[in-house]
Amino acid sequence: MVLKVQQQPCGCKCNPDQQSSAPPSPPATAEWREDGPNSRVEGGGAVLKLKVKHARRENIAAALKEAVASWNLDEEHLVCITSDNAANIVRAASLNKWTRLQCFGHRLHLAVENAVKKSDKIDRALSICKKLVGHFSHSWKARAALEDAQKELNLPSHSLITECQTRWGSRQMMISRILEQQRALAQVLSKDKKTRHLIPTWQDIDVLESVSKSLDPLLDFTDALSGEDYISISCLKPVLHLFNTQLLQGQDEETDLTKKLKKEMLDYINEKYEDKATQELLDIASCLDPRFKMDFIDADKKPQVKARVTTELMECHAQTSSALFSAASSSSTEENPTVANPPQEKKSKKSFGGFFQSIQSKAGAAGTSSSLTLRESVEAEFNNYLLTPCIDKDQDALAWWKIYQINFPRLSKLACKYLCIPATSSPSERLFSASGNIVTCQRSCLKPEMVDKLVFLAKNL
């Protein structure tokens, strides 16, 4: 936990208090990040109590402000919050005038849902898959017969996967597993007249293969951008570029259904990321990542990004200078009281270097100094950063900033400000999962204060 909120984006999610006899609901959480480029991105999951009686936007907005104030954090230095697309959270952030980044995992999940729900053929195929998985999950005899069929057909001994609406990518995993075990499932189901209707037809198999080909490239990106131990926000711009140029572009050998699904998902994602504030945030985050810099920023937006970086660097320098000046003045008045008769210092012999210092001081007084102005110094530092070669995409950007923060002192502070923003709200979601594992049916009498402590320890130990 640090004191400067300027470098503390958070991924937060609210859960209103439940007035019932059920176990206490998980507390709302916020992910605060450590300070400095030499520290890891992984931060402690600070559990913030949000006392919300009704899940209205006004109540949530006020509760979020109270939670920030309870940690003695300056709201004006808040950079960004990452949340899902819940309407009350979105409006609460708008009321507080906070910059909000939509969770990439939620947005990608909704893009898939939006594309899949428009086809009756897909609905039928998915319905058969769910019934098939349900049959094997409720019958131990069917599972045993499936294991025997897998051994007989030399197939991997894998269990079927159930789709979960709140688990990203579970639909794709369910379809892939059914296609993998297609022959074993048909062999087991065909032996019983009551279960033969669960065998997918060749039309259903074609639909499932088309859906699998369109969704398979997206599964890895959701997992990769949900981590907490590395930078994720700067990867959004390259990922969106990859979607538009390769992964979600229809190929000639693909079926019409696969091309249609890819097009609908791509149109949905591009529409949701057209917001100007979101684009500016992604551009500056990508620019400050030494792996990408300006590679994935549109040519017409590069001057705007450079101007914004220069302006923020100058503002950061001004704030740092004023803070240092106020701290120095206060410490000098407290630690150096005035003395009536200060002792006279012994005059030292002038050194050889003193002659050059006197000459430079005179030149500066005469207005002939060649020192750069603040703007020129900032622009030179930023241009030198852009001229350095990009590092490999597999290298750690934080390790690079740890080494080169001496060369780019101002720019490293700006990198700390933006690169610690999480691309997804997975850190907060994991805290809710930890709360669910703690508050079980056997431990339903835990008090909310004890739940807060246990969740905090589970996250930070």
Side-chain angles (χ1 to χ4, degrees):
M1 194 66 184
V2 295
L3 297 178
K4 293 182 180 179
V5 189
Q6 183 179 2
Q7 310 187 6
Q8 328 306 325
C10 63
C12 35
K13 184 168 182 174
C14 291
N15 192 17
D17 295 337
Q18 299 177 356
Q19 299 178 357
S20 64
S21 58
S25 59
T29 61
E31 188 75 9
W32 301 98
R33 303 297 181 180
E34 294 187 7
D35 194 6
N38 55 350
S39 62
R40 303 304 302 171
V41 178
E42 52 186 358
V47 181
L48 306 182
K49 295 181 181 179
L50 299 188
K51 299 180 179 179
V52 184
K53 293 183 178 180
H54 302 285
R56 290 182 176 180
R57 56 182 180 179
E58 295 83 2
N59 298 338
I60 295 176
L64 287 173
K65 285 191 172 185
E66 292 177 2
V68 173
S70 65
W71 286 83
N72 297 325
L73 300 173
D74 192 353
E75 182 186 340
E76 295 180 356
H77 294 163
L78 184 71
V79 180
C80 176
I81 66 171
T82 303
S83 70
D84 56 15
N85 64 327
N88 49 5
I89 299 294
V90 175
R91 294 172 182 172
S94 178
L95 288 176
N96 290 342
K97 297 181 179 179
W98 291 356
T99 303
R100 189 189 72 89
L101 177 66
Q102 50 189 322
C103 173
F104 182 78
H106 280 93
R107 188 57 65 191
L108 196 59
H109 180 70
L110 291 177
V112 174
E113 293 290 331
N114 181 70
V116 168
K117 70 179 182 181
K118 296 181 180 180
S119 175
D120 295 335
K121 295 186 296 184
I122 298 178
D123 289 340
R124 167 186 160 77
L126 292 177
S127 176
I128 292 177
C129 290
K130 294 177 183 179
K131 293 178 181 179
L132 193 151
V133 173
H135 169 72
F136 281 91
S137 63
H138 290 91
S139 174
W140 66 269
K141 291 184 178 180
R143 291 196 298 271
L146 180 61
E147 293 178 0
D148 296 338
Q150 290 171 345
K151 295 178 181 178
E152 181 181 349
L153 298 173
N154 294 324
L155 294 176
S157 298
H158 294 161
S159 302
L160 300 183
I161 299 177
T162 304
E163 178 189 6
C164 180
Q165 290 293 334
T166 58
R167 185 183 178 188
W168 303 333
S170 60
R171 173 176 297 172
Q172 167 61 16
M173 291 186 287
M174 178 187 69
I175 294 175
S176 299
R177 186 58 54 82
I178 289 178
L179 292 176
E180 177 191 83
Q181 303 293 332
Q182 175 186 353
R183 291 188 298 160
L185 294 173
Q187 179 175 325
V188 174
L189 296 175
S190 59
K191 294 179 180 180
D192 190 352
K193 295 182 180 179
K194 297 181 180 179
T195 58
R196 289 178 182 175
H197 67 282
L198 296 177
I199 301 177
T201 62
W202 65 269
Q203 295 94 338
D204 297 329
I205 295 298
D206 290 343
V207 171
L208 293 176
E209 289 178 348
S210 299
V211 173
S212 179
K213 289 181 180 179
S214 61
L215 302 185
D216 188 60
L218 309 181
L219 185 61
D220 296 334
F221 286 99
T222 305
D223 297 336
L225 293 176
S226 299
E228 302 179 52
D229 300 339
Y230 47 83
I231 296 173
S232 57
I233 183 174
S234 59
C235 300
L236 287 183
K237 197 75 177 181
V239 166
L240 294 176
H241 176 79
L242 197 61
F243 283 174
N244 283 275
T245 56
Q246 296 182 21
L247 297 180
L248 292 183
Q249 288 294 329
Q251 305 297 328
D252 295 336
E253 65 274 7
E254 294 177 342
T255 62
D256 294 338
L257 181 58
T258 301
K259 295 178 182 179
K260 179 182 177 182
L261 291 176
K262 286 186 175 182
K263 183 179 183 304
E264 291 178 352
M265 289 188 293
L266 184 61
D267 293 341
Y268 181 88
I269 293 174
N270 289 333
E271 178 185 356
K272 297 304 179 181
Y273 279 95
E274 287 179 351
D275 182 60
K276 181 180 179 180
T278 302
Q279 285 294 326
E280 291 178 354
L281 179 63
L282 298 182
D283 286 339
I284 194 171
S286 177
C287 174
L288 294 173
D289 193 322
R291 297 172 296 179
F292 310 118
K293 295 184 180 179
M294 294 286 190
D295 293 346
F296 298 96
I297 300 177
D298 298 337
D300 56 339
K301 294 183 179 180
K302 290 183 179 180
Q304 302 175 4
V305 175
K306 293 181 179 179
R308 179 176 176 181
V309 170
T310 303
T311 303
E312 292 205 22
L313 287 175
M314 295 181 63
E315 293 176 354
C316 181
H317 178 80
Q319 294 175 359
T320 305
S321 300
S322 61
L324 291 175
F325 178 78
S326 60
S329 59
S330 61
S331 61
S332 61
T333 55
E334 294 177 359
E335 298 178 1
N336 299 322
T338 57
V339 182
N341 295 319
Q344 295 182 357
E345 296 182 358
K346 186 178 179 179
K347 187 176 181 180
S348 59
K349 188 176 180 179
K350 193 171 185 179
S351 62
F352 182 75
F355 292 101
F356 294 96
Q357 292 180 358
S358 61
I359 294 174
Q360 291 178 356
S361 62
K362 291 179 181 179
T368 59
S369 176
S370 60
S371 61
L372 298 175
T373 62
L374 176 60
R375 175 173 288 275
E376 292 174 346
S377 177
V378 166
E379 291 178 351
E381 180 179 337
F382 183 53
N383 291 330
N384 290 335
Y385 164 74
L386 294 179
L387 290 176
T388 57
C390 295
I391 62 177
D392 294 337
K393 302 301 185 288
D394 294 334
Q395 291 185 352
D396 189 0
L398 291 180
W400 187 92
W401 276 114
K402 180 180 179 180
I403 298 173
Y404 290 94
Q405 63 177 338
I406 301 177
N407 303 67
F408 311 106
R410 302 186 187 95
L411 205 59
S412 62
K413 296 180 180 179
L414 197 63
C416 291
K417 176 180 176 180
Y418 284 100
L419 295 184
C420 57
I421 302 174
T424 66
S425 59
S426 298
S428 297
E429 302 289 349
R430 292 189 182 101
L431 284 178
F432 278 86
S433 299
S435 303
N437 295 332
I438 291 172
V439 185
T440 60
C441 297
Q442 289 77 16
R443 307 178 72 185
S444 59
C445 295
L446 287 173
K447 294 183 178 180
E449 293 78 7
M450 182 58 66
V451 175
D452 293 344
K453 296 177 182 179
L454 292 174
V455 172
F456 184 86
L457 293 175
K459 179 65 178 179
N460 294 278
L461 288 181

